[in-house]
Amino acid sequence: MAVARHSADAAGILARRVDGLAETALRECFQCRKCSAGCTVAAAADILPHEVVQAVQMGQSERVLGSHFIWLCVGCQTCFSRCPNQVDIPALTDALRALALASGAAPAEPAALAFHRSFLAVVRRKGRAHELSMIRRYKQATGGLLDDFRLGLALWRRGKIRLRASKPRGRKEVRALFDRKGKSERP
């Protein structure tokens, strides 16, 4: 009886923490698996989107926070658009990433975290994504600065990568959004 109560308490704590961060109704999921059937990264994932929701509902924090899926999810919203109850799995994966980092656990996909941080740093600084800046930051973080050099050169020749970033209107507003989140959430 005590073990069952402890499991229920752990499940409730994890679900409440994730619900608070993701602002989605995990309890509404009835495991129809439509999210997993449409997931664009399901073939590379260790657990499927419906299994992530189930693991959170059951309080399996180690399983879900240590999963590769939470780092591989690209946030394409396919799962959300297919869900009959509007369970926002991309928001859920964002919340789980934050919890994983806060717990001090090493990400299951370090390259995904490096890309995420590179993207956010460039958007914060320039007001929008700039591919060359993102590539430079990402390659420095992962140690492969000259990897894919030929591909990058070919993309540059075709005009797909610009050497200089454009200066969009609203750069100050974008930076203010990052500043409003606070220093703990900066890339």
Side-chain angles (χ1 to χ4, degrees), residues 52-82:
V52 170
V53 174
Q54 185 179 45
V56 170
Q57 290 171 334
M58 296 177 69
Q60 298 173 341
S61 58
E62 288 180 22
R63 179 179 184 213
V64 75
L65 296 179
S67 77
H68 290 263
F69 176 79
I70 67 172
W71 299 101
L72 295 174
C73 175
V74 294
C76 68
Q77 299 286 326
T78 301
C79 54
F80 182 63
S81 67
R82 295 178 68 128

Side-chain angles (χ1 to χ4, degrees), residues 7-30:
S7 297
D9 290 345
I13 291 168
L14 180 62
R16 280 192 299 277
R17 287 180 69 196
V18 171
D19 264 345
L21 291 170
E23 298 179 359
T24 191
L26 294 175
R27 289 179 233 72
E28 299 296 320
C29 177
F30 55 82

Side-chain angles (χ1 to χ4, degrees), residues 60-124:
Q60 298 173 341
S61 58
E62 288 180 22
R63 179 179 184 213
V64 75
L65 296 179
S67 77
H68 290 263
F69 176 79
I70 67 172
W71 299 101
L72 295 174
C73 175
V74 294
C76 68
Q77 299 286 326
T78 301
C79 54
F80 182 63
S81 67
R82 295 178 68 128
C83 181
N85 293 331
Q86 301 288 284
V87 176
D88 192 350
I89 293 176
L92 171 67
T93 58
D94 286 343
L96 291 170
R97 288 177 193 148
L99 288 175
L101 291 174
S103 73
E109 293 287 335
L113 179 59
F115 181 82
H116 178 74
R117 287 183 170 161
S118 300
F119 173 78
L120 289 176
V122 169
V123 170
R124 181 180 191 276

